[in-house]
Amino acid sequence: MSPSTLLGIHSDTNGDTPTIIQSNPPALPDVCAKVDGRVEAFLNTEPRNERIWHVQEQTRASLKIIEEALERYSSDELSISYNGGKDCLVLLILYLAALHRHSTAKPMPKEQLNGSPQAPPRTPEPLPQTLRSVYILSPHPFPEVDAFVVTSAKTYHLSLARYAKPMREAFTDYLANEPAIRAIFVGTRRTDPHGSALKYFDPTDRGWPAFMRIHPVIDWHYAEIWAFIRELDVPYCELYDMGYTSLGGTTDTHPNPALRADPGGGGGEGKQTGFRPAYELEEDDEERLGRDR
């Protein structure tokens, strides 16, 4: 993978997967502006194939959902669930781009409201220094995942609350510690377990702590997630280059057997001999073949 230029980040000295090495990353407004610039450039590029066209359409749709969330909730009321995986990474990049657009948007003139009885759009807020976020660790986390979460959280200015406990208990404790939060962005997609019936905005189920779940990438396909990451040259966790396609914990996650390289093919591009990288997988229903549950 080529050196990343998303935020002026360059690859390591071996030229392998980009590593986030900035000791003093730009302030959050500058990060949001740079990310939005890359997203806008991608959206303005003539698509070279049908997949890229679909990714552009998915990007526009997701940005609209995030903008709607920014109209409904203040920055103090919003958080993002972030675990360093590919889906929430795409969600995070879109969130940063939407934050720049929202914070720099001009209020809509009264004459353009067309007499609508609805409340006028929320006045854009100055961006905070950091973004509220929550990281729920696997019971047996990969050190590579944890390291990527730490470095990317620093680069993208996430105020990351970490919880090593079951998800329901973790969210209960998180909201007790952050009572202002009313909605949390989640990187769930329809092909994920329990994702098929979800909507863009979904209140939590009975028995769970009450908050609005927001799913901007719910309708994205696996291959579209990777096309976005690679088109924008976004740094990602190195395990994906070793044939892992869905990251859980060390006891239930393995390289995807669908990516096992042809014995005579030299192992493909993956770092781990015998498996091709995650972005070479095509089918949604093969994404979790490397997971025991």
Side-chain angles (χ1 to χ4, degrees):
M1 187 173 178
S2 61
S4 173
T5 55
L6 181 68
L7 297 177
I9 300 168
H10 298 286
S11 65
D12 59 25
T13 55
N14 295 321
D16 294 319
T17 304
T19 54
I20 301 173
I21 56 176
Q22 292 174 309
S23 57
N24 294 300
L28 180 60
D30 296 328
V31 169
C32 291
K34 288 184 177 183
V35 169
D36 186 35
R38 290 298 298 274
V39 170
E40 185 65 20
F42 168 65
L43 292 176
N44 290 333
T45 300
E46 184 69 25
R48 63 182 181 277
N49 55 47
E50 187 176 1
R51 174 168 295 166
I52 298 303
W53 180 85
H54 280 293
V55 175
Q56 290 174 326
E57 291 300 295
Q58 294 279 38
T59 298
R60 294 185 180 99
S62 295
L63 287 171
K64 288 181 180 179
I65 297 304
I66 299 172
E67 177 61 29
E68 181 177 344
L70 294 173
E71 293 287 351
R72 289 192 189 187
Y73 305 100
S74 70
S75 59
D76 286 340
E77 296 171 330
L78 284 168
S79 181
I80 180 170
S81 180
Y82 181 70
N83 63 7
K86 62 190 183 305
D87 302 325
C88 62
L89 183 60
V90 169
L91 170 59
L92 174 59
I93 295 303
L94 294 171
Y95 185 28
L96 294 168
L99 281 167
H100 176 256
R101 297 175 182 212
H102 186 75
S103 66
T104 58
K106 296 180 180 179
M108 185 180 295
K110 291 183 178 180
E111 58 270 18
Q112 293 184 18
L113 294 177
N114 297 321
S116 171
Q118 299 179 354
R122 182 187 296 274
T123 301
E125 304 172 89
L127 287 174
Q129 292 185 341
T130 59
L131 299 176
R132 296 173 186 266
S133 55
V134 56
Y135 173 32
I136 301 176
L137 286 77
S138 163
H140 306 280
F142 281 96
E144 295 90 344
V145 173
D146 204 45
F148 179 75
V149 169
V150 170
T151 54
S152 56
K154 180 177 181 181
T155 294
Y156 299 126
H157 295 282
L158 302 182
S159 178
L160 200 65
R162 298 165 61 101
Y163 294 89
K165 54 184 62 178
M167 188 171 294
R168 186 181 309 194
E169 185 180 347
F171 278 123
T172 298
D173 289 354
Y174 180 53
L175 294 177
N177 294 331
E178 298 284 353
I181 291 175
R182 296 174 54 205
I184 300 177
F185 290 106
V186 183
T188 301
R189 296 177 16 251
R190 295 215 182 276
T191 53
D192 293 331
H194 313 295
S196 61
L198 293 176
K199 301 184 290 294
Y200 287 128
F201 292 83
D202 261 317
T204 49
D205 299 325
R206 179 179 296 182
W208 282 72
F211 63 92
M212 181 67 74
R213 296 169 293 174
I214 310 174
H215 306 110
V217 298
I218 188 70
D219 290 323
W220 287 56
H221 293 285
Y222 177 90
E224 293 169 344
I225 289 288
W226 276 111
F228 181 91
I229 289 172
R230 286 171 59 76
E231 286 295 312
L232 273 72
D233 208 6
V234 179
Y236 54 79
C237 178
E238 63 184 289
L239 290 180
Y240 288 121
D241 279 339
M242 302 179 188
Y244 293 85
T245 55
S246 177
L247 302 182
T250 58
T251 60
D252 64 7
T253 306
H254 318 280
N256 193 317
L259 290 173
R260 191 177 299 278
D262 183 343
E269 297 181 34
K271 289 184 179 180
Q272 177 168 313
T273 302
F275 289 91
R276 294 177 286 121
Y279 52 78
E280 292 192 12
L281 193 72
E282 293 286 332
E283 301 299 327
D284 286 341
D285 58 5
E286 294 182 340
E287 178 180 355
R288 295 181 65 86
L289 292 180
R291 296 288 292 273
D292 292 340
R293 60 176 183 270

